[in-house]
Amino acid sequence: QQQQGQQGQQGQAQPAQPPQPEKIPLPEQYQPLIASLEYTLNSCLAHNNPSYKKKLEDVGKRVEFLADKLRYHQVDANTLQLLFSLCQVLQNRDYQSALYYHTQLVSTTNPEAAQYLNGIKVLITVAKSLNS
């Protein structure tokens, strides 16, 4: 009887996930922004530091969330300007200035932006600690 119960549980199929719609390409003007974040992310991942692995995986998801927002032009001009400034100083490993721009972004953007801004802050903090 116990075997029948286990077989019944195993026989239940998981509901099929609906197919994901194909993403439109990232507009050219936003590619440097995402490339900069991904470059810093990959530099941090290259350190193979196990204590940061999960955090950096989450950062990757948040960068992709930002890319999706950019694909559909759902980021306002002020936020874009601050993001480009942040990425420029981040490329130069100027982490203090990157944190300054992050603070500006947090105080001037809508609450939905927190989904990617939290990841950017983690990325800055990890890059600073790894000196990537």
Side-chain angles (χ1 to χ4, degrees):
Q1 195 174 21
Q2 205 172 23
Q3 284 180 335
Q4 276 184 326
Q6 288 175 350
Q7 285 176 344
Q9 288 173 352
Q10 290 173 352
Q12 294 174 352
Q14 294 292 327
Q17 294 293 326
Q20 295 294 321
E22 247 185 75
K23 292 183 180 183
I24 64 170
L26 185 65
E28 195 173 321
Q29 69 265 30
Y30 305 134
Q31 289 176 3
L33 194 153
I34 296 301
S36 172
L37 294 171
E38 288 177 342
Y39 176 83
T40 304
L41 175 61
N42 289 331
S43 294
C44 291
L45 286 167
H47 283 272
N48 288 325
N49 188 320
S51 60
Y52 293 127
K53 186 175 192 248
K54 282 193 186 274
K55 286 182 181 183
L56 292 171
E57 287 172 355
D58 182 61
V59 168
K61 291 175 188 171
R62 292 173 186 267
V63 169
E64 187 57 34
F65 178 81
L66 172 59
D68 287 342
K69 291 291 177 193
L70 294 171
R71 279 183 183 92
Y72 297 101
H73 305 283
Q74 296 174 334
V75 180
D76 66 79
N78 182 53
T79 301
L80 278 171
Q81 184 178 359
L82 289 169
L83 281 168
F84 274 108
S85 297
L86 184 151
C87 287
Q88 186 174 13
V89 297
L90 189 58
Q91 280 184 316
N92 296 328
R93 297 181 182 182
D94 182 354
Y95 303 117
Q96 283 307 115
S97 295
L99 287 171
Y100 167 79
Y101 285 117
H102 180 270
T103 301
Q104 295 300 307
L105 281 159
V106 168
S107 64
T108 61
T109 58
N110 64 23
E112 188 180 67
Q115 292 212 19
Y116 57 84
L117 289 177
N118 290 341
I120 291 173
K121 181 163 188 183
V122 169
L123 180 60
I124 295 166
T125 306
V126 171
K128 183 178 179 182
S129 71
L130 294 174
N131 201 15
S132 288

